[in-house]
Amino acid sequence: MSDSVIAGRHAVKEALSSDADINKLLIQDSVNKGQIREILDIAKNRKIVVQTVPKNKIDGMTDERHQGVVALASPHEYMPLEKLLENIEGKQANVVILDGLEDPHNLGSILRTCDATGFDGVIIPNRRSVQLTDTVARTSTGAIEHVPVARVTNINQTIDRLKEKGFWVAGSDGKGAMDYRDLAADVNTALIIGSEGKGISKKTLEKCDFILQIPMVGHITSLNASVSAALLMYEVFRKQNPAGSE
């Protein structure tokens, strides 16, 4: 199990009421929802994903008496967006925004490249996205301890916040009008990487100041998300740190 499992109504309620990073709440399909209304209300207020599942699924996740309720908590801490913005205030900064990325191996690899290129953080949505798990931690080979990850409710509102802080936003798309090698990148830069299958969502793509294309002359029509992210991050690094300046 990639997440830490919290089982039982009292334990789950306490976790929800604290600052614990809860990725998802699982409710047994036969449970009387009226008996756990307080738990459901707290989860709704915190905008935590709630999923109804059969009893055998929960039974397979824990040996504890679960009472039809378990919470999946992140084994690694997220950094609040406000804290991340505070940390990068007044400096040239770069971040990666992941729009619907689902593969934990991709996230782990992206964290490794963020650490290698000096990127200041990764921003992910709290729904329909990979979260920080043990698989991510293993794939990152320790980078997860050095690259802060902020989890937000609304990616597009977060982009607006970054623009207010002076960031220019560049998204990667196969139909992009700009060759990624033409990106100036001499300013605070937010790179957006889309999901493995669908890419960047339409509304988020409309928020981009630049839509970048990575030229491909072979037979494969797309690159792995973490490879695309690595190319873009190193292009930003190259523009901001000319050879011999390190």
Side-chain angles (χ1 to χ4, degrees), residues 116-133:
T117 55
F119 266 61
D120 296 279
V122 173
I123 299 171
I124 64 173
N126 64 3
R127 289 178 178 267
R128 294 182 292 276
S129 170
V130 64
Q131 306 294 312
L132 292 183
T133 65

Side-chain angles (χ1 to χ4, degrees), residues 181-216:
R181 292 167 293 184
D182 292 330
L183 180 66
D186 56 350
V187 294
N188 291 359
T189 303
L191 296 175
I192 305 180
I193 306 297
S195 68
E196 293 85 355
K198 298 179 181 178
I200 300 173
S201 62
K202 182 179 179 181
K203 288 185 177 180
T204 300
L205 205 57
E206 291 172 352
K207 291 279 186 182
C208 294
D209 299 302
F210 310 105
I211 301 178
L212 308 176
Q213 178 185 137
I214 299 174
M216 287 174 281

